[in-house]
Amino acid sequence: MTNVAAHAASCTNVAFVNTLMPQPAKIATAPGCLTLDNTFSVSIAAYRDARLDAATERMLNRLSRLAAVPHHLAIQSGTSADLVIDVKGQGSVVPSLDDDESYVLNVTNDHARLEANTVVGAMRGMETFLQLVQANGGSGFAVPGVEIHDQPRFRWRGLMIDTGRHFEPVSVIERTLDGMAAVKLNVFHWHLTEDQGFRIESRRFPKLTGMGSDGLYYTQEQAREVIAYAAARGIRVVPEFDMPGHTTSWLVGYPELGSAPGPYEVQRTFGVHDAAFDPTRESTYKFLDEFIEEMADLFPDAYMHLGGDESNGKQWRANPEIERFMKEHNIATTQALQTYFSQRVEKLLEQHHKHMVGWDEVLQPNLPKDVVVQSWRGTHYLADAARQGNQGILSAPYYLDHMDSAAQVYLADPLPGGEQLTAEQANLVLGGELCMWGEHVVPRTIDSRIWPRAAAIAERFWSPASVNDVNDMYRRLGVMSLRLEAVGLTHISGPEAGLRQLAGSEDDGALRTLASVVQPVDFGQRYREQRTSQLTPMNLLVDSVRPDPPMRHELEMLVEGFLADSSHKKNRDELMAIFHQWVAAGPGLEAIANRSPLLADARPRAAELSVLGRMGLDAVSSLSAGKRRPAGWASRSLETLTRDKNHNGLVDFVVLGPLEKLVGAAGKVR
């Protein structure tokens, strides 16, 4: 029997289970499937370069781990292989906004063929090919027959990481880039300067890091390494140097740039600080011209982000020279003075062949049309920018530190609904960016704050707007979460390690039960309760639980199914098992809390969990048997649930909504 015939014979009964994320633009199933075994081979049929070879090698390495396919054969040339990669040309040498990321993937019984116009398009198709791999019964792995025509809906699909408030080492950045590539995100927005730290080496102005970084910064060699690592995965790197506010770390070494005389110190506290560049001095622009020239040489992307957010103008109003300048130039407000500053620095960027990106505070009537507006305060700023003729990026719904569920961010579309944009204006919306601000994340915790929710947002940026089934998204997100762990992300293992440290033991089952039903409070609530600073240890329960844990949606689905048919044994039994586990966790949680001072704030949540478990058991029992609960039970239970909605121990319960539905239904049994 030939190899092709063997493949066909062993694959006839494999059904396609769609777990792709993001969903392709067009997908159709086809007969048969392609077996993955020790004879599996790959060839590159047409254009070939080092970047394509490296991407193919990475795919084969992951395929080896995923499906036990031995990686021992060299990548072939020609068209006689199990997977043929046919690329027309290189595409952009430097990843760009205009990269063609489209691809076509066909899988049949005898082979798979991936076609793309560019190397980046081929990379996107390789990720889809890896996601198609599924078990072939008990006899190995296969790729089901499909025909996929795919391309992104938006050109700018980004993730911003703030490394100014808490420094993140290169290893964190690079594993993040691997995760981004897996879900087809294509812009890494690197927030490099903040009041709390200046994080990129400047050889022209060495005091920026020498005095403003606490020794925590990226050398230019490390930056080049990150840029190359990203480019190899088809990801752009857009640096951000925030100005004129959020600039304390600049002013520690160069106080002459400031609007007040100083001296300045690196800030440890968070929030909006008064420090700001003096926009009226020519020396400020001379300094920035030289700095931008140096950074333009380091970062090859055509875009550079210059911040522009949260400059409160207090230092400007307190400076008589700046007040005099404003009067002489008919500048009535500090907002207008910031526009003057934005116009000046935009010209500097233009001289160095860069396009400016700024937060939506830069949006003023006379903003140059070349400036890209990043909307963080609301979707209407994005719409206003488009009406004004400026391109824009939406970030307002995608602030990961708000701890919104994957469902909430998934349904937030980059094109503002109800804004009545023309087709031409809508075309100015380039896409969106997730934002991971750094106040409350450190290397051990950052992955769990980004992933897997980022995969749901990545689908919103890539897939057609009609792909919006939340339940199906969660079904696929559970699978995608494990794939992301396989590429090196620690969003699962990091919190688990934190729980073991809190418990002081590997026997942390009770604590894991509590962690499965709570999530961190949002940034603002934690800051208000704990008054966090850059020096605050991130080692409490809040730092070892995940936003939108799987139990939240799982319980919603179980309760919905049970209430639709309370005689359904499977749903009933699963609910009873969950609630019994909550009750049983009580003694273990008490024992762990007694030996772990770091869990002191979480004690109330531990006690409440057993109460919630008993409440759930009572409700399910009542509904299953059709027996009413004692008088007043429902009202007391609902009061408890209302009380448990209050923030406590820096974590919030995520299971109260389904419990309310159960209690409400049980309270109606007569």
Side-chain angles (χ1 to χ4, degrees):
M1 182 181 288
T2 66
N3 190 47
V4 169
H7 280 187
S10 62
C11 253
T12 52
N13 295 320
V14 175
F16 172 47
V17 178
N18 187 347
T19 59
L20 299 177
M21 182 169 274
Q23 284 287 287
K26 295 180 181 178
I27 182 171
T29 57
C33 65
L34 176 65
T35 298
L36 301 175
D37 57 24
N38 59 8
T39 68
F40 182 78
S41 58
V42 176
S43 70
I44 297 176
Y47 178 82
R48 185 170 183 175
D49 64 10
R51 186 164 66 143
L52 182 58
D53 275 4
T56 307
E57 286 288 348
R58 289 195 303 273
M59 179 193 69
L60 287 170
N61 285 332
R62 289 166 61 192
L63 188 63
S64 179
R65 297 193 300 271
L66 174 64
V69 175
H71 183 193
H72 59 87
L73 298 176
I75 301 169
Q76 304 173 20
S77 298
T79 59
S80 57
D82 295 306
L83 171 61
V84 176
I85 300 172
D86 187 351
V87 179
K88 291 183 179 178
Q90 178 184 45
S92 303
V93 177
V94 175
S96 79
L97 182 65
D98 297 319
D99 275 337
D100 183 346
E101 300 176 89
S102 65
Y103 66 91
V104 176
L105 178 60
N106 283 286
V107 181
T108 64
N109 268 351
D110 58 348
H111 78 286
R113 186 175 185 86
L114 170 60
E115 299 176 353
N117 293 324
T118 67
V119 173
V120 172
M123 292 181 194
R124 306 300 182 238
M126 290 182 206
E127 293 295 341
T128 299
F129 182 82
L130 287 167
Q131 290 187 19
L132 285 167
V133 174
Q134 60 186 64
N136 183 10
S139 60
F141 295 87
V143 178
V146 291
E147 180 179 343
I148 292 173
H149 295 256
D150 202 10
Q151 62 187 30
R153 182 176 170 218
F154 293 101
R155 294 184 288 163
W156 192 303
R157 307 180 308 281
L159 167 62
M160 186 282 293
I161 292 184
D162 165 19
T163 60
R165 292 177 173 89
H166 277 110
F167 180 76
E168 301 291 344
V170 169
S171 59
V172 171
I173 302 302
E174 290 184 346
R175 75 185 186 222
T176 300
L177 290 167
D178 286 330
M180 291 174 65
V183 297
K184 302 181 174 69
L185 292 171
N186 69 347
V187 179
F188 172 50
H189 172 171
W190 203 353
H191 188 87
L192 287 163
T193 65
E194 261 303 336
D195 293 302
Q196 294 78 16
F198 197 99
R199 305 301 185 196
I200 183 68
E201 176 190 16
S202 170
R203 294 172 180 171
R204 295 192 188 182
F205 303 105
K207 288 189 288 185
L208 288 171
T209 51
M211 299 178 68
S213 73
D214 297 316
L216 298 172
Y217 65 93
Y218 307 98
T219 66
Q220 293 198 5
E221 286 76 13
Q222 288 175 316
R224 290 189 182 94
E225 175 189 332
V226 168
I227 292 164
Y229 197 93
R233 289 151 180 78
I235 297 172
R236 300 164 49 210
V237 177
V238 176
E240 180 182 354
F241 313 105
D242 208 348
M243 59 183 77
H246 288 284
T247 48
T248 305
S249 63
W250 302 66
L251 304 179
V252 177
Y254 299 93
E256 65 273 16
L257 296 172
S259 299
Y264 293 88
E265 294 181 350
V266 171
Q267 290 287 347
R268 305 303 177 194
T269 58
F270 302 134
V272 178
H273 297 278
D274 296 342
F277 287 159
D278 186 338
T280 68
R281 288 200 214 115
E282 287 304 311
S283 56
T284 300
Y285 300 103
K286 183 178 185 300
F287 181 101
L288 291 176
D289 185 28
E290 292 186 43
F291 176 80
I292 289 169
E293 181 181 43
E294 182 182 16
M295 293 299 111
D297 288 341
L298 178 60
F299 292 94
D301 197 83
Y303 291 78
M304 186 178 288
H305 204 304
L306 296 186
D309 60 314
E310 297 182 321
S311 183
N312 61 25
K314 290 183 179 180
Q315 281 193 352
W316 293 347
R317 283 300 188 190
N319 185 318
E321 293 300 319
I322 293 177
E323 284 281 286
R324 185 178 300 111
F325 180 92
M326 292 174 67
K327 290 178 181 178
E328 290 174 355
H329 292 79
N330 296 315
I331 299 174
T333 65
T334 54
Q335 290 81 7
L337 183 59
Q338 179 161 336
T339 299
Y340 168 83
F341 176 81
S342 297
Q343 292 170 333
R344 292 289 304 269
V345 295
E346 191 274 335
K347 291 297 183 185
L348 296 178
L349 284 180
E350 186 179 336
Q351 291 171 21
H352 297 293
H353 312 291
K354 300 292 185 184
H355 303 286
M356 177 178 164
V357 187
W359 299 104
D360 58 36
E361 285 94 334
V362 305
L363 182 62
Q364 298 295 329
N366 51 355
L367 183 70
K369 296 297 184 284
D370 189 55
V371 177
V372 177
V373 176
Q374 185 163 6
S375 170
W376 73 278
R377 292 180 298 172
T379 57
H380 61 284
Y381 290 100
L382 185 73
D384 289 346
R387 293 191 188 97
Q388 194 169 296
N390 290 85
Q391 293 179 319
I393 309 159
L394 183 64
S395 286
Y398 313 124
Y399 267 41
L400 296 171
D401 60 348
H402 288 181
M403 306 302 169
D404 293 326
S405 69
Q408 290 171 290
V409 294
Y410 183 67
L411 295 176
D413 196 272
L415 277 177
E419 293 287 352
Q420 298 180 334
L421 297 179
T422 67
E424 183 179 3
Q425 291 166 346
N427 196 46
L428 292 171
V429 177
L430 299 176
E433 272 191 9
L434 305 74
C435 292
M436 185 67 261
W437 293 106
E439 286 92 344
H440 296 151
V441 291
V442 292
R444 184 183 67 80
T445 65
I446 187 170
D447 287 9
S448 69
R449 298 305 190 253
I450 298 174
W451 308 100
R453 290 181 298 159
I457 306 172
E459 178 161 286
R460 178 56 48 236
F461 295 164
W462 178 281
S463 303
S466 58
V467 177
N468 57 12
D469 185 320
V470 168
N471 291 336
D472 189 64
M473 177 273 290
Y474 272 111
R475 176 186 66 81
R476 292 178 288 112
L477 188 64
V479 179
M480 193 67 218
S481 181
L482 297 179
R483 293 182 184 132
L484 291 165
E485 183 181 39
V487 302
L489 292 166
T490 64
H491 59 291
I492 299 174
S493 61
E496 289 176 346
L499 293 175
R500 288 191 292 273
Q501 295 302 311
L502 288 168
S505 168
E506 291 189 27
D507 183 15
D508 62 348
L511 190 57
R512 281 188 282 113
T513 298
L514 175 61
S516 73
V517 299
V518 296
Q519 72 170 16
V521 296
D522 66 27
F523 159 73
Q525 185 64 32
R526 181 172 189 179
Y527 179 73
R528 288 188 293 272
E529 286 191 33
Q530 202 181 5
R531 306 311 296 178
T532 49
S533 75
Q534 193 183 46
L535 305 178
T536 302
M538 299 292 155
N539 61 351
L540 301 177
L541 179 62
V542 63
D543 301 301
S544 293
V545 297
R546 297 159 59 183
D548 196 16
M551 179 56 71
R552 188 194 69 80
H553 187 255
E554 179 183 338
L555 193 66
E556 280 184 356
M557 293 297 96
L558 286 172
V559 168
E560 182 178 309
F562 177 70
L563 292 180
D565 181 5
S566 59
S567 65
H568 193 285
K569 186 176 186 302
K570 183 176 183 294
N571 285 339
R572 183 194 65 209
D573 290 351
E574 288 189 29
L575 285 171
M576 295 290 278
I578 289 170
F579 297 141
H580 276 300
Q581 187 180 40
W582 295 1
V583 174
L589 286 170
E590 184 176 359
I592 292 172
N594 285 339
R595 65 175 183 260
S596 178
L598 293 176
L599 288 171
D601 288 345
R603 276 182 176 274
R605 286 300 191 220
E608 290 161 353
L609 180 62
S610 293
V611 174
L612 295 177
R614 286 189 289 272
M615 185 188 302
L617 290 172
D618 289 345
V620 172
S621 298
S622 174
L623 289 164
S624 296
K627 294 182 179 179
R628 63 184 301 176
R629 300 301 305 166
W633 172 86
S635 60
R636 289 193 301 273
S637 297
L638 291 173
E639 287 174 4
T640 297
L641 292 171
T642 298
R643 184 174 62 251
D644 287 350
K645 289 179 182 178
N646 295 326
H647 304 297
N648 206 332
L650 300 176
V651 294
D652 289 334
F653 280 118
V654 297
V655 293
L656 302 182
L659 281 171
E660 281 185 330
K661 292 179 180 179
L662 279 176
V663 169
K668 295 176 182 177
V669 174
R670 295 290 182 264

